[in-house]
């Protein structure tokens, strides 16, 4: 059976309430669906369940203190916020919700929520009177305005002996709700083709020309498109990444091979997203056996241009897919990307500044500007996965527009 949360990174935040013991079960059930879990606990939560339990279950150290130099140097609160694809606070106490509503950041969990770019989900649990009070309901309204998702509490027997609304939502319903949140349906019925990673151009049987692309951005886009309901094929140069669930992989080495595989399925493709860092040059005549070292201090290789896959696709007569290119630039980012958008006749181009070592090639983070017809939108620095989901939203919207307006 397909795991609905495979490759998802979820930060489980636990606050002080009797339902804190259920966080252990939530952790296990999310893992059953393939999620990777990290946990953070408030000091009140630690009175109800020990960090050791969550550490053992999540197989990761528990984040406990904002001002603990050791934990912060291992993985600080900003890094944790960037690491997560989703933050779930379960159970969320009345006190925590009130602090979240105020935008506080004087403890670790509120600071992580404030720093987060990903979706934040709150599953409240408290005594029924505390839940009903205007103060709590006003706080709930406040956090909902900020697009924080609420998993409303269930009605029933409460640990305090009273009966009413305030019980933590059933664990299996929490897991279902989280799984559904990753599935948007904006690309339902679409065939999406993504290229990712570097290509390798052989010099001889043991050496090659390549680049620093890790494939992370392309794989994240393939996964986000799959979650949006598309049937996704990923043509990938050599990488060390796991293939996202439900994505069809086609492995290639060289630019020539990537072009051949791309052309073989482009006819049935609705959206083509060219994230691959295709080598621009290949060795004209690679040696058939290993080039031996000689007394010579220099070796000359004759290089020729590789095919420009994106250009080939944009020149296709007849059924050309909605085409999205990337522009990896070290200077004049927007100007150069606009030039590629025009010259390659693309629907969209994603301008990526690759001179900043904290983003672009190989980093887990990225920051890009998407350009297209009446579109100039910058996405600030975030994880490549979060960015991929945002890009898929734009691609789905613009692709739909292009169909509506011909
Ligand atoms: O893989 P990561 O480590 O996560 O890094 C992500 C990334 C930096 C590789 C990615 O975000 C990115 O910017 N990809 C485009 C890399 C690139 O080759 O850019 P370019 O400006 O040289 O090429 C422009 C476009 O033409 C790209 O869509 C590229 O895929 C395509 N191209 C380029 C050359 C070629 N021979 N064939 C092509 O199809």
């Amino acid at each position: 059976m397909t795991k609905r949360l495979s490759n998802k990174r979820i930060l489980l935040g636990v606050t002080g309430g009797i339902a804190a013991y259920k966080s252990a079960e939530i952790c296990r059930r999310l893992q059953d669906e393939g999620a990777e879990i990290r946990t953070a606990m408030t000091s009140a939560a630690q009175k109800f369940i020990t960090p050791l339990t969550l550490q053992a279950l999540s197989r990761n150290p528990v984040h406990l203190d904002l001002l603990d130099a050791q934990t912060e140097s291992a993985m600080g609160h900003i890094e944790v916020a960037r690491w997560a694809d989703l933050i779930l606070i379960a159970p969320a106490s009345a006190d925590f919700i009130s602090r979240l509503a105020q935008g506080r950041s004087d403890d670790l969990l509120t600071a992580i929520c404030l720093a987060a770019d990903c979706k934040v989900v709150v599953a409240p649990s408290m005594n029924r009177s505390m839940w009903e009070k205007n103060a709590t309901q006003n706080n709930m309204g406040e956090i909902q305005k900020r697009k924080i998702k609420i998993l409303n509490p269930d009605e029933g027997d409460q640990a305090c002996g009273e009966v009413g609304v305030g019980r933590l939502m059933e664990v299996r319903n929490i897991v279902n709700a989280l799984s559904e949140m990753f599935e948007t349906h904006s690309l339902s019925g679409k065939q999406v083709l993504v290229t990712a990673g570097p290509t390798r151009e052989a010099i001889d049987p043991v050496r090659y020309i390549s680049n620093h692309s890790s494939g992370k951005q392309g794989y994240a886009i393939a996964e986000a498109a799959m979650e949006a309901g598309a049937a996704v094929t990923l043509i990938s140069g050599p990488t060390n990444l796991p293939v996202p669930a439900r994505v069809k992989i086609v492995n290639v080495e060289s630019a020539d091979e990537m072009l051949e595989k791309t052309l073989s399925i482009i006819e049935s493709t609705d959206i083509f997203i060219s994230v691959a860092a295709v080598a621009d040059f290949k060795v004209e005549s690679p040696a058939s056996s290993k080039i031996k070292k000689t007394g010579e201090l220099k070796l000359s290789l004759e290089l020729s241009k590789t095919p420009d896959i994106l250009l080939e696709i944009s020149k296709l007569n007849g059924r050309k897919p909605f085409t999205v290119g990337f522009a990896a630039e070290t200077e004049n980012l927007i100007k150069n990307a606009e030039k590629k958008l025009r010259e390659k006749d693309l629907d969209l181009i994603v301008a990526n500044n690759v001179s900043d070592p904290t983003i672009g090639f190989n980093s887990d983070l990225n920051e890009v500007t998407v350009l297209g017809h009446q579109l100039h939108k910058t996405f600030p620095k975030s994880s490549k996965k979060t960015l991929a989901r945002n890009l898929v939203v734009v691609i789905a919207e613009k692709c739909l527009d292009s169909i509506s307006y011909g």
Side-chain angles (χ1 to χ4, degrees), residues 90-104:
S93 65
D95 177 65
F96 178 80
I97 290 166
S98 124
R99 294 155 53 71
L100 193 61
Q102 290 169 48
R104 301 268 291 260

Side-chain angles (χ1 to χ4, degrees), residues 85-393:
D85 295 320
L86 182 146
I87 296 173
L88 167 68
I89 313 295
S93 65
D95 177 65
F96 178 80
I97 290 166
S98 124
R99 294 155 53 71
L100 193 61
Q102 290 169 48
R104 301 268 291 260
S105 60
D106 53 354
D107 75 349
L108 181 66
L109 206 47
T110 49
I112 290 173
C113 290
L114 201 58
D117 296 319
C118 65
K119 196 172 259 312
V120 177
V121 182
V122 166
S125 166
M126 65 197 72
N127 167 270
R128 63 167 184 86
S129 299
M130 293 171 82
W131 174 250
E132 279 165 13
K133 287 280 159 23
N134 283 346
T136 305
Q137 290 308 314
N138 290 344
N139 288 334
M140 296 302 297
E142 191 55 45
I143 64 174
Q144 259 171 317
K145 275 192 229 154
R146 289 181 227 152
K147 302 229 168 79
I148 291 176
K149 168 91 180 156
I150 313 296
L151 300 181
N152 278 321
D154 289 341
E155 186 171 2
D157 292 340
Q158 299 209 284
C160 54
E162 298 182 9
V163 178
V165 178
R167 286 167 59 96
L168 183 71
M169 180 185 270
E170 284 287 334
V171 173
R172 71 184 139 78
N173 293 339
I174 292 179
V175 174
N176 282 338
L178 260 50
S179 305
E180 280 165 16
M181 267 172 228
F182 283 103
E183 294 175 1
T184 63
H185 308 291
S186 60
L187 290 177
S188 281
K190 297 272 180 256
Q191 302 277 343
V192 172
L193 173 58
V194 181
T195 62
T199 63
R200 283 181 185 170
E201 311 303 328
I203 295 172
D204 67 15
V206 297
R207 305 180 181 97
Y208 53 80
I209 299 172
S210 191
N211 58 63
H212 294 294
S213 170
S214 62
K216 288 175 191 170
Q217 188 64 79
Y219 277 54
I221 289 176
E223 184 166 27
M226 181 277 296
E227 285 164 2
V232 181
T233 303
L234 174 62
I235 300 183
S236 173
T239 73
N240 292 320
L241 302 176
V243 180
R246 290 178 275 162
V247 166
K248 185 176 168 207
I249 186 84
V250 177
N251 290 304
V252 297
E253 289 258 337
S254 65
D256 284 326
E257 222 186 320
M258 190 173 269
L259 174 66
E260 185 200 321
K261 299 289 182 198
T262 303
L263 287 175
S264 73
I265 47 174
I266 204 71
E267 281 267 307
S268 56
T269 297
D270 299 301
I271 301 173
F272 174 52
I273 310 172
S274 181
V275 196
V278 185
D280 287 314
F281 293 94
K282 62 181 175 181
V283 176
E284 181 75 39
S285 313
S288 56
S289 52
K290 186 180 169 192
I291 300 171
K292 293 280 174 221
K293 270 190 278 184
T294 62
E296 297 293 326
L297 291 180
K298 289 186 178 173
L299 170 74
S300 295
L301 295 170
E302 197 166 1
L303 301 181
S304 60
K305 269 185 133 180
T306 55
D308 189 321
I309 303 168
L310 193 55
L311 192 63
E312 293 295 320
I313 300 307
S314 75
K315 284 193 305 202
L316 281 181
N317 281 326
R319 205 178 164 280
K320 179 190 155 198
F322 185 87
T323 306
V324 183
F326 268 64
E329 304 294 341
T330 52
E331 55 198 353
N332 299 326
L333 178 67
I334 300 300
K335 218 169 136 211
N336 287 338
E338 278 169 344
K339 191 163 177 269
K340 286 178 184 165
L341 176 73
R342 272 193 316 275
E343 288 177 354
K344 300 197 186 193
D345 189 24
L346 306 173
D347 294 291
L348 295 175
I349 195 149
V350 181
N352 201 163
N353 173 3
V354 290
S355 66
D356 176 350
T358 67
I359 59 172
F361 284 109
N362 207 8
S363 165
D364 285 333
L365 305 177
N366 213 354
E367 177 183 330
V368 299
T369 299
V370 188
L371 305 170
H373 180 60
Q374 295 189 327
L375 177 72
H376 184 127
K377 190 172 169 69
T378 297
F379 291 99
K381 196 185 281 188
S382 66
S383 76
K384 283 184 173 167
K385 286 186 171 198
T386 300
L387 176 66
R389 284 188 204 108
N390 291 330
L391 289 176
V392 162
V393 170

